[in-house]
Amino acid sequence: MTTVIIGAGIIGTSTAYYLSQSEVETSKIVLVESSPELFASASGYAAGFLAREWHSQATASLGRLSFDLHKELAKENNGHEQWGYSPSTATSLAETIGGDGEEDWLGAGTSRAKAAKRIAENDDTRPVWLAPHHGRPDIIDKGDGTALVDPYQLCHFLLSECKKRGVRLYQPAQATRVTRDSSGALSSIHIVHEESPTSFKEYDIPCNRLVLAAGAWTAQVFSTLFPASKLKIPVSSLAGHSLLLRSPHWPPPSLNIDIDPSSDPQQKHQPPCHALFTSDPIGQYAPELFTRLPSGHIYIAGLNWQYPLPKLATERVIDPEAIRTLKETSERLLGK
């Protein structure tokens, strides 16, 4: 039985990774990715923040399972070094925008910290890179239920492991139609594979199971493959901008010491990374800042706007005004 996965981002590669652990014939797992650049959208540019309990009732059990799988994967594969997995102290600084825990914080432009059900009392855990005049943030989680990863590096790890196991990747390639057998069951999928800028080859790949994991493009893929269907896929797009920063007050600890947080009991209570959720009354949005290991970067995001979905992830539009706003917020929070 052949499984074809449309989309080789974080969902597609992780699906292929875990499926390849149970499938005997891993060559019958196929990834199809349309973008000429891998992980060119949210899979490579997201914050990489993980929380075990910050979920609505509908997704609470899935959130706990996902968090535990991330922790297990990092422990088994040295995730701290390979994709920067690290427990993270989650903090909230004078958060005033937003509503209650069940709201759609992303769509509303508020802070995901609103989804946290408990906020611990203040203590001495404070990001050293936060400018002193901002005071001391409230502690939401001390690292037992929150963590950080570099999603770009995680995706590359998953894809590399898939290829080692025999999973096939067609990229860049477009899935154009499906074929059914005499009983009406799915039998193959037709793809157009760009082997070079001037060379295209078409294939009919056997396909008994089809997984659509194309992110914001999932609805378009479904409409292409099943044009007669009246089913509407409830997936929409929301563009986000982000920056990677450096601070002289937060050198990467991994450059000086060799720490594996998954095996060091003290690191469980004193995680080296921080997640900071706050508000920006000038920019009128809810900035989020995350420290990353081992690179030592500080990631800032939270400015999300509606843009027309591009045909390919590589055709995304970077808004200069959004970048300017993020830079100004960074200077206010971190200092110049």
Side-chain angles (χ1 to χ4, degrees):
M1 182 171 288
T2 301
T3 301
V4 176
I5 303 169
I6 308 297
I10 183 62
I11 301 299
T13 54
S14 57
T15 300
Y17 177 86
Y18 284 102
L19 187 60
S20 66
Q21 289 184 330
S22 59
E23 294 284 329
V24 176
E25 296 182 275
T26 53
S27 63
K28 291 189 175 183
I29 302 173
V30 180
L31 286 162
V32 178
E33 172 58 48
S34 63
S35 174
E37 176 187 340
L38 288 169
F39 320 126
S41 191
S43 293
Y45 290 90
F49 178 71
L50 312 173
R52 195 173 192 276
E53 301 294 343
W54 300 23
H55 305 277
S56 66
Q57 185 176 356
T59 60
S61 60
L62 182 62
R64 288 190 289 270
L65 173 62
S66 175
F67 186 86
D68 293 344
L69 283 174
H70 270 285
K71 187 174 182 179
E72 179 183 287
L73 184 71
K75 185 176 182 179
E76 293 176 351
N77 297 279
N78 191 19
H80 179 63
E81 291 297 326
Q82 295 215 63
W83 59 89
Y85 178 90
S86 179
S88 171
T89 298
T91 63
S92 178
L93 180 64
E95 176 57 56
T96 57
I97 299 178
D100 299 320
E102 292 291 319
E103 73 167 339
D104 177 11
W105 58 267
L106 184 61
T110 61
S111 171
R112 83 175 83 202
K114 291 293 182 180
K117 297 186 180 301
R118 299 184 304 276
I119 296 182
E121 294 183 359
N122 235 330
D123 64 11
D124 293 331
T125 305
R126 184 185 191 280
V128 296
W129 41 264
L130 182 65
H133 65 272
H134 288 293
R136 185 181 296 168
D138 292 321
I139 306 301
I140 304 173
D141 192 291
K142 295 185 178 181
D144 294 316
T146 50
L148 288 166
V149 301
D150 183 329
Y152 185 79
Q153 299 298 334
L154 174 58
C155 285
H156 272 286
F157 167 80
L158 292 171
L159 182 58
S160 176
E161 291 299 303
C162 286
K163 288 181 175 180
K164 290 178 183 177
R165 297 172 182 177
V167 174
R168 291 181 288 160
L169 170 66
Y170 291 91
Q171 181 260 338
Q174 297 279 349
T176 59
R177 64 177 182 271
V178 296
T179 303
R180 301 178 184 274
D181 60 21
S182 57
S183 68
L186 191 66
S187 61
S188 69
I189 186 166
H190 186 83
I191 68 168
V192 179
H193 183 208
E194 181 181 338
E195 297 188 331
S196 73
T198 59
S199 176
F200 295 84
K201 285 193 175 181
E202 299 188 26
Y203 301 91
D204 283 306
I205 302 174
C207 178
N208 309 106
R209 298 181 297 192
L210 178 63
V211 179
L212 301 186
W217 290 268
T218 298
Q220 292 183 3
V221 173
F222 181 84
S223 297
T224 297
L225 298 180
F226 305 99
S229 175
K230 296 182 180 180
L231 178 66
K232 301 297 182 183
I233 304 298
V235 176
S236 59
S237 62
L238 184 64
H241 289 77
S242 61
L243 290 175
L244 289 178
L245 313 170
R246 289 282 194 185
S247 170
H249 306 294
W250 193 71
S254 61
L255 296 182
N256 304 313
I257 53 178
D258 185 15
I259 293 177
D260 182 357
S262 64
S263 61
D264 186 340
Q266 291 185 343
Q267 289 300 309
K268 182 178 180 182
H269 301 288
Q270 296 180 340
C273 287
H274 281 84
L276 177 69
F277 306 95
T278 185
S279 59
D280 188 320
I282 298 176
Q284 287 297 303
Y285 74 111
E288 302 180 342
L289 291 87
F290 308 95
T291 47
R292 287 182 174 177
L293 295 178
S295 67
H297 286 122
I298 299 173
Y299 173 103
I300 181 172
L303 198 58
N304 305 308
W305 292 339
Q306 290 283 354
Y307 290 98
L309 186 67
K311 182 179 179 181
L312 297 172
T314 48
E315 297 173 359
R316 60 190 180 273
V317 176
I318 298 176
D319 191 314
E321 182 65 20
I323 299 301
R324 183 188 63 79
T325 299
L326 289 173
K327 287 182 177 179
E328 291 177 351
T329 301
S330 302
E331 289 183 354
R332 285 194 290 271
L333 291 172
L334 277 67
K336 295 185 179 180

